[in-house]
Amino acid sequence: MKVTDYFENAKGQTLISFEVLPPLKGGSMKAIFDTLDPLMEFKPPFIDVTYHREDFVYKKMPSGYYEKIAIRKRPGTVGICAAIMHRYGVDAVPHLICGGFTKEETENALIDLNFLNINNVLALRGDAASFDGRFVPDPNGHEYALDLVKQIDGMNRGQYLDDNIKDGLKTEFCIGVAGYPEKHFEAPNLAADLAFTKAKVDAGANYIVTQMFFDNKYYFNFVDECRKAGINVPIVPGLKPLTKTHQLSSIPRHFYIDLPDDLVNALQKATTAKARQEIGVEWLIAQSKELKASGVPCLHYYTMGDADTIRQVAEAVF
Ligand code: FAD
């Protein structure tokens, strides 16, 4: 079923969903199941699986020269989606990115998903490869998530890259895209970012999932601004627990977001890991309760393999 159908059928009730990362190469599905098994009692209608592009490393060869080698540290997104659907009977939402993909590879990936009866995707640009510094699309790929949305929407209308395909299968992908309550770090300002977000919706995106935030005022303001800009699709808040001291710098560094004073002060004053854990959980419970009370369609939790924390929050909120 489509993610947006779940929202419609819920008739104003807030749903819950989770996001998992593929294990590092060499790991097993057990890591995913260990995260999800304790969370399934909360009945998420869908679970997202992130996608991780290949990166390049330089390996010293016997000759003494260095060779540039492509490696994907977290492969397996599509297989994990199929395994999740098989084990739990819920929908899986693979993330699909522009980075490292030609349009042809994207088309083939979408065909695989269609054959697996996976009818939801989160369409993203992806981040820059670590050695690039800025996002560089494949020469035959997409520069922005907007172009990926257009390709998926085209397949939903039976359009394939090969013009000779005249009567192609019309896929039925429900398309999610990313939104940034504190703006995407490359956008000149929130208004410009919103204009690009609107373009993704106008091109066929059916719903938005937000970047994490720790102060709900950013989400509420983002929704207001989206509505004023004519973006009328469901906007799902993305939420993550902050329970460790190192996250006070790593989260702003990686995600370009602000942390509220009260949360920062409380975590800095806490003297034990247990106290920090409790503060982070209480904060996320309070955030979640306020968002739920405001009638958001779904609370989407980035699990990061930490089932215990997410479970404590879900128990308090649902
Ligand atoms: P876009 O919508 O393409 O926007 C990128 C930037 O370009 C923005 O600054 C935007 O304002 C600007 N822009 C957009 N269109 C234009 C245009 N036509 N002209 C000029 N500027 C433009 N990354 C992964 O690699 N794998 C994942 O699984 C993953 N999952 C994510 C899930 C969520 C919910 C979120 C919020 C992010 C996720 N990301 C993931 C990270 C995401 O790929 C990065 O934030 C990336 O830098 C931007 O992706 P986007 O889809 O928002 O890009």
Side-chain angles (χ1 to χ4, degrees):
M1 200 154 115
K2 294 184 179 190
V3 163
T4 46
D5 288 342
Y6 287 116
F7 298 155
E8 268 175 39
N9 293 350
K11 298 194 188 330
Q13 292 285 317
T14 299
L15 303 174
I16 187 169
S17 61
F18 304 114
E19 182 170 306
V20 292
L21 268 72
L24 284 166
K25 193 179 271 190
S28 82
M29 269 305 293
K30 187 174 177 309
I32 301 285
F33 293 148
D34 285 350
T35 300
L36 290 177
D37 282 354
L39 299 176
M40 294 316 289
E41 70 170 85
F42 301 104
K43 304 207 180 320
F46 61 92
I47 292 165
D48 278 47
V49 183
T50 56
Y51 191 94
H52 300 260
R53 66 173 296 170
E54 86 291 358
D55 230 328
F56 292 96
V57 291
Y58 285 91
K59 191 172 176 193
K60 194 170 186 182
M61 305 312 285
S63 62
Y65 287 107
Y66 282 84
E67 195 174 314
K68 193 176 168 189
I69 299 172
I71 48 164
R72 276 186 59 210
K73 292 183 184 159
R74 292 184 186 272
T77 299
V78 176
I80 293 169
C81 285
I84 285 174
M85 288 166 73
H86 183 251
R87 182 174 175 100
Y88 303 114
V90 301
D91 276 296
V93 184
H95 293 190
L96 197 58
I97 62 171
C98 304
F101 276 81
T102 65
K103 291 172 198 164
E104 177 81 14
E105 286 164 345
T106 297
E107 186 171 271
N108 294 340
L110 289 164
I111 289 169
D112 281 344
L113 296 178
N114 175 264
F115 288 173
L116 283 166
N117 203 23
I118 294 173
N119 295 312
N120 297 284
V121 284
L122 195 73
L124 302 145
R125 186 194 71 178
D127 281 321
S130 55
F131 56 90
D132 273 336
R134 70 182 177 84
F135 179 80
V136 180
D138 184 282
N140 295 313
H142 296 306
E143 189 168 6
Y144 295 109
L146 169 63
D147 308 308
L148 178 56
V149 171
K150 285 180 181 166
Q151 184 174 8
I152 303 168
D153 183 66
M155 278 181 68
N156 282 348
R157 285 180 285 107
Q159 290 169 1
Y160 291 75
L161 295 172
D162 180 352
D163 295 340
N164 294 318
I165 301 174
K166 294 290 178 220
D167 212 4
L169 173 85
K170 291 180 179 157
T171 54
E172 293 184 17
F173 287 108
C174 174
I175 309 169
V177 290
Y180 300 84
E182 296 175 63
K183 108 174 172 62
H184 184 263
F185 70 102
E186 293 168 29
N189 56 39
L190 187 60
D193 206 19
L194 275 172
F196 294 130
T197 305
K198 182 166 188 312
K200 293 192 278 191
V201 173
D202 291 346
N206 304 104
Y207 70 104
I208 295 170
V209 184
T210 76
Q211 181 60 281
M212 70 189 72
F213 52 89
F214 291 88
D215 184 338
N216 288 349
K217 79 170 185 231
Y218 287 113
Y219 172 82
F220 293 130
N221 178 59
F222 179 68
V223 173
D224 283 351
E225 293 300 319
C226 282
R227 301 310 180 219
K228 278 189 225 159
I231 300 171
N232 293 313
V233 295
I235 302 177
V236 175
L239 297 164
K240 179 181 159 88
L242 196 171
T243 55
K244 297 180 179 67
T245 317
H246 75 84
Q247 292 175 308
L248 292 174
S249 55
S250 65
I251 288 180
R253 188 167 66 243
H254 288 121
F255 302 106
Y256 304 89
I257 60 170
D258 216 6
L259 300 178
D261 283 345
D262 288 351
L263 177 59
V264 174
N265 291 339
L267 285 166
Q268 282 175 337
K269 278 191 201 136
T271 52
T272 63
K274 185 168 175 284
R276 284 187 284 275
Q277 172 75 13
E278 282 168 11
I279 290 164
V281 166
E282 284 309 313
W283 190 274
L284 188 51
I285 289 172
Q287 260 196 290
S288 304
K289 282 186 173 171
E290 188 184 29
L291 289 163
K292 187 165 175 260
S294 79
V296 298
C298 182
L299 294 172
H300 183 71
Y301 292 101
Y302 302 118
T303 64
M304 307 302 290
D306 188 357
D308 283 352
T309 301
I310 303 295
R311 196 185 150 81
Q312 283 177 57
V313 173
E315 266 171 355
V317 178
F318 287 89

